[in-house]
Amino acid sequence: MTIPVIPSTFFLTLLLAVGLFFFIKASVKERTEQQTICVPQDADTLLEQIQNYFHSRAYRAIAIDRQENSITYEGLVRPSWFMAIFLTLLTAIGSLCLGLVLSMAIPASGYGFLALVLFSPLAGFFYWQKAKRPEQVFLQLEAVRSSESRTESLIRVTAHRDELATLKQALVSKQSENI
């Protein structure tokens, strides 16, 4: 192999390793968002439905503020087996590539750099330890609008973006069942 090819390949592989590092770090990042959801139900029925929803997802109410019409739920986020295995596999492939490039760049070391693959389970372990954390969901009843034939409740929800999507889907599916 020509001399200029090895340093450029090493540089590109190093950039990929840095990207992999930040991908693993971002896998445990908290992604809390706030959304306002309009549901065509009266407040009492909606709050009962939300309470049943969070109870079924192993959340518990930790704070209820009647003046602010708000409830705070807390639950434990479980890490994903798929994500832990996926990150371990990605790290193994990245470590193998880095080990091969280092072996070519420093031929005197032989294939000793391939041992970097042995550290790949640390990525899955890191994810598993950091992803398991308590998560809070904050709900506040904003307003109740009534018209002649319909009542709508407006709630503001602050939660992880995946939990928000699941909650909205559950509320929409309940509405289609009631129709």
Side-chain angles (χ1 to χ4, degrees), residues 76-148:
L76 187 65
V77 176
R78 293 182 312 163
S80 163
W81 277 104
F82 172 78
M83 191 64 156
I85 293 168
F86 180 67
L87 289 173
T88 301
L89 183 65
L90 278 181
T91 305
I93 293 169
S95 301
L96 180 66
C97 292
L98 183 61
L100 285 172
V101 171
L102 285 171
S103 296
M104 287 188 298
I106 308 169
S109 68
Y111 290 104
F113 286 112
L114 294 180
L116 289 173
V117 174
L118 298 174
F119 293 107
S120 61
L122 291 176
F125 182 75
F126 170 79
Y127 167 77
W128 197 261
Q129 294 299 313
K130 298 290 183 175
K132 186 178 182 180
R133 64 181 179 273
E135 182 178 301
Q136 289 191 350
V137 176
F138 178 75
L139 292 161
Q140 184 174 18
L141 183 63
E142 291 279 316
V144 178
R145 296 182 290 210
S146 295
S147 62
E148 294 175 11

